[in-house]
Amino acid sequence: MKKLMTLFLILPLLASSLLFPVHTDASEMNFSVSANIPENQIDKTKSYFHLKLAPGNEQTVYVTITNETSQEITILTSVNTAVTNDNGIVDYSQENPKIDNTLKYPLSKITESAGEVVLPAHSSKNYPIKISMPDKAFDGTILGGVYFKEKTADKSESQSKDIQIENQYAYVIGMMLSQNDTQIKADLKLNEITPTQVNYRNVVTANLQNTEATILKDLDIEAQIFKRDGSKVLHENFKQNMRMAPNSNFNFPISWGTKEFEPGRYRLDMIATSGEQVWKWSEYFTIDGKTADALNETALDIERDYTLLYIIAGSLLTLLILFLVFLLGRKSKKDEE
């Protein structure tokens, strides 16, 4: 049975602008959302929540949801903690993401809201989100987004037999919370270096972690892989204009191309820059034989290295020829006798 494929077009999920929501044509969306900006908004020109609240304070903010259709619809909602995905983009769409170990106050844990909203035809409702600021004072930013998508009917088994692609759109309204105006700098840490796969292609990933409660902007990364003490670049990746959510991490990939993983010791040289901040690393890592074999077995678009097989086959052929020469020599000697 062919699987039903649903394509979710998340609008918008880019931290580079934090412009929430993105307006689309009525033909694309059955509903719309807009933030009701409160008096303690830091910048009232913004269409997302950017609030300053004292430690221990509580506040309820509202988003107006409007049903643009002549039918009743149900909107699924959640308040999501911002994370960084492996493309180096701040992601607000994950309801239950893996939380970084440096994040003390995930937005999802300090807010309360309903999981869904039922809207009659051509109607609007104010959707409340209760915020409870942590009692303990902190510097920096808590970041996330209020996520909205329309609930759709489940497909029957007969409808699932053929491949279908459906466009389902979603809104995210950003939410940034702080307790004071203290500016802090992002800091970047290099964690594990791991041979793995992305879409069945061999890659080595370097886990990068923003350990501070601030957005890391305009992040450029240069990464090169060498043999342990070599000077020849084996594989490399360069990427610019990435962003990281506060207290988050992501896996930066370096493609192995069409080459098989070879067991051995390697070195990763990496430079990351954000404005005037620069981080440099030179770290060793190992690809063991068991891991290399397992990943090479399932990797796509790999140019297999048959050198060892050719050497073994050549050696066996040579031994066979020598054996035949030996037998022929013995037979010839017997004939002469």
Side-chain angles (χ1 to χ4, degrees):
M1 179 185 296
K2 295 180 180 179
K3 294 181 179 180
L4 176 69
M5 298 190 301
T6 302
L7 178 62
F8 289 95
L9 300 181
I10 307 303
L11 299 174
L13 297 178
L14 297 178
S16 58
S17 62
L18 277 177
L19 296 177
F20 300 90
V22 166
H23 298 289
T24 58
D25 295 335
S27 59
E28 295 177 337
M29 300 292 289
N30 290 327
F31 70 101
S32 62
V33 299
S34 62
N36 299 324
I37 302 302
E39 286 301 314
N40 59 326
Q41 175 88 351
I42 292 176
D43 185 349
K44 291 185 171 62
T45 66
K46 304 300 183 184
S47 59
Y48 57 88
F49 295 113
H50 188 189
L51 311 177
K52 182 163 67 174
L53 288 168
N57 277 15
E58 294 183 348
Q59 181 176 351
T60 299
V61 295
Y62 297 89
V63 175
T64 300
I65 312 175
T66 301
N67 180 1
E68 311 281 359
T69 74
S70 58
Q71 304 291 328
E72 179 182 274
I73 61 174
T74 299
I75 307 300
L76 301 176
T77 69
S78 58
V79 181
N80 300 337
T81 301
V83 295
T84 306
N85 67 27
D86 288 348
N87 293 315
I89 296 173
V90 179
D91 185 355
Y92 305 87
S93 68
Q94 299 183 44
E95 189 169 348
N96 294 297
K98 184 177 180 180
I99 299 299
D100 188 87
N101 59 18
T102 66
L103 180 58
K104 295 180 180 179
Y105 307 114
L107 184 66
S108 59
K109 302 299 183 183
I110 63 170
T111 55
E112 297 177 23
S113 59
E116 62 180 49
V117 178
V118 178
L119 289 173
H122 299 297
S123 69
S124 296
K125 284 186 178 181
N126 283 332
Y127 171 73
I129 304 107
K130 181 181 177 182
I131 304 167
S132 300
M133 200 58 124
D135 293 329
K136 188 174 181 180
F138 68 89
D139 297 332
T141 300
I142 297 173
L143 182 65
V146 191
Y147 181 84
F148 304 88
K149 72 175 180 180
E150 185 177 352
K151 185 177 182 179
T152 57
D154 295 332
K155 296 293 182 180
S156 66
E157 184 175 342
S158 61
Q159 291 174 308
S160 302
K161 290 181 179 179
D162 297 323
I163 294 177
Q164 301 176 38
I165 297 178
E166 297 178 353
N167 293 336
Q168 185 169 0
Y169 296 87
Y171 281 114
V172 177
I173 294 181
M175 182 174 287
M176 299 176 64
L177 306 178
S178 59
Q179 293 182 347
N180 54 54
D181 297 325
T182 303
Q183 299 295 314
I184 61 175
K185 283 189 175 183
D187 195 16
L188 202 56
K189 179 181 177 182
L190 173 62
N191 295 317
E192 298 85 3
I193 303 170
T194 307
T196 183
Q197 288 183 344
V198 174
N199 296 326
Y200 294 97
R201 269 77 177 181
N202 284 352
V203 301
V204 166
T205 59
N207 183 265
L208 292 171
Q209 182 182 32
N210 176 15
T211 61
E212 299 299 321
T214 187
I215 300 173
L216 179 55
K217 303 176 183 179
D218 303 322
L219 177 63
D220 299 341
I221 294 178
E222 303 177 15
Q224 296 178 318
I225 292 177
F226 306 80
K227 285 289 189 180
R228 176 184 170 89
D229 298 315
S231 58
K232 179 183 177 182
V233 177
L234 302 177
H235 306 281
E236 60 187 350
N237 190 17
F238 305 92
K239 196 165 183 180
Q240 296 179 313
N241 300 321
M242 292 178 288
R243 287 201 170 197
M244 294 186 68
N247 302 107
S248 68
N249 69 86
F250 79 106
N251 294 313
F252 183 80
I254 303 100
S255 173
W256 221 251
T258 59
K259 301 295 183 182
E260 290 185 303
F261 277 135
E262 293 183 9
R265 291 279 285 166
Y266 296 88
R267 185 181 82 252
L268 171 66
D269 288 354
M270 179 177 283
I271 300 175
T273 59
S274 174
E276 296 181 354
Q277 291 184 278
V278 180
W279 299 269
K280 295 182 180 181
W281 301 277
S282 185
E283 299 288 341
Y284 297 114
F285 67 98
T286 300
I287 300 178
D288 62 70
K290 184 177 180 180
T291 300
D293 290 343
L295 293 172
N296 291 338
E297 182 69 24
T298 57
L300 299 177
D301 301 330
I302 289 293
E303 295 178 357
R304 306 293 177 182
D305 186 356
Y306 297 107
T307 303
L308 181 60
L309 181 62
Y310 292 150
I311 292 174
I312 294 173
S315 299
L316 291 175
L317 181 60
T318 301
L319 289 174
L320 178 61
I321 292 172
L322 290 174
F323 181 67
L324 291 174
V325 169
F326 172 74
L327 290 179
L328 290 173
R330 289 189 60 183
K331 183 176 184 303
S332 176
K333 185 175 180 180
K334 287 181 179 181
D335 291 343
E336 290 177 357
E337 291 177 352

